[in-house]
């Protein structure tokens, strides 16, 4: 399996695809990417602008990303830290105090516990989600979008947009089209399924 391109190459190709397709330039939402990668918004913004992230150790990355995931989890579920720590302690077999220290970003979990947190938070990327550099983490989040833009045939909505000349759509919401754009898209779809003129009128 080929190695993924570096972040700089991904950003270059994204910029090219966005310009060629006439897509909104604010497609790359900093807050959304920060939530997806558990990176600070300032770091995501700097990397998107071609800058570099601050130096950090693997332990620093693990601690801060677990804390970011825990904070996002509590915001999404309305639970308190004590509830989250208690749940993790029961599921992963550690003390409630230790679970809280880890969720607060104050302690580094063991390899075994990190694996358990991957399953608990349902992190698809595995342990690498916590240990990868900021650039690699952001790159991993951007690659699916790049694939969609460069290979619209893999996405039915994008394929229809390309086929019928619909441009300037906000792809983050996948369907946030203007009324005119939506009408053109639907008109194209209808043309493809309705019998040509001369056929029986419905």
């Amino acid at each position: 399996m080929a190695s993924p391109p570096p972040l700089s190459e991904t950003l270059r190709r994204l910029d090219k695809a966005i310009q060629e397709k006439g897509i909104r330039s604010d497609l790359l939402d900093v807050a959304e990417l920060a939530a997806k990668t558990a990176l600070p918004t300032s770091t995501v913004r700097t990397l998107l602008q071609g800058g570099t992230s601050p130096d950090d150790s693997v332990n620093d990355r693990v601690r801060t990303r677990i804390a970011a995931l825990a904070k996002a989890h509590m915001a999404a579920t309305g639970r308190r830290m004590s509830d989250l720590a208690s749940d993790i302690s029961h599921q992963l077999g550690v003390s409630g105090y230790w679970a809280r220290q880890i969720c607060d970003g104050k302690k580094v979990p063991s390899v075994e516990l990190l694996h358990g947190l991957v399953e608990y938070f349902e992190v698809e990327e595995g342990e690498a989600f916590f240990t990868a550099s900021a650039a690699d983490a952001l790159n991993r989040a951007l690659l699916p979008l790049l694939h969609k833009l460069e290979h619209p045939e893999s996405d039915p909505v994008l394929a229809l947009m390309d086929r019928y000349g619909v441009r300037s759509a906000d792809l983050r919401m996948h369907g946030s089209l203007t009324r005119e754009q939506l009408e053109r898209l639907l008109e194209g779809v209808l043309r493809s399924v309705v019998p040509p003129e001369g056929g029986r009128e419905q």
Side-chain angles (χ1 to χ4, degrees), residues 24 32-33 40 44 50 58 81 85 122 164 167 170 177-178 194:
R24 287 171 48 172
E32 186 177 309
L33 287 168
V44 172
V58 172
M81 176 60 81
E122 299 180 344
Y164 296 108
R167 293 289 186 263
D170 183 349
L177 310 178
T178 65
V194 173

Side-chain angles (χ1 to χ4, degrees), residues 29-155:
D29 185 277
V30 172
E32 186 177 309
L33 287 168
K36 188 176 293 186
T37 57
L39 294 171
T41 54
S42 58
T43 298
V44 172
R45 188 176 294 108
T46 297
L47 290 172
L48 288 177
Q49 294 171 348
T52 57
S53 58
D55 288 335
D56 59 0
S57 67
V58 172
N59 283 350
D60 289 337
R61 297 169 194 168
V62 171
R63 286 189 302 98
T64 56
R65 291 177 200 172
I66 289 174
L69 272 187
K71 185 176 180 181
H73 181 81
M74 288 186 293
T77 61
R79 303 177 76 193
R80 297 172 302 173
M81 176 60 81
S82 57
D83 299 325
L84 177 60
S86 175
D87 198 21
I88 289 176
S89 73
H90 288 326
Q91 289 202 30
L92 304 185
V94 296
S95 71
Y97 172 79
W98 188 246
R100 179 164 190 146
Q101 290 288 95
I102 289 172
C103 289
D104 272 335
K106 295 176 181 176
K107 297 291 184 181
V108 179
S110 65
V111 173
E112 183 180 0
L113 182 52
L114 185 61
H115 181 70
L117 290 171
V118 166
E119 295 182 348
Y120 181 84
F121 288 113
E122 299 180 344
V123 178
E124 293 181 3
E125 296 88 345
E127 287 83 351
F129 177 88
F130 299 104
T131 60
S133 69
D136 286 346
L138 180 59
N139 194 41
R140 188 172 54 234
L142 292 174
L143 285 173
L145 172 60
L146 177 63
H147 180 75
K148 280 186 177 183
L149 293 180
E150 291 186 338
H151 304 282
E153 67 278 3
S154 66
D155 186 304

Side-chain angles (χ1 to χ4, degrees), residues 194-202:
V194 173
E197 287 187 24
R200 189 179 65 172
E201 291 187 7
Q202 301 297 315

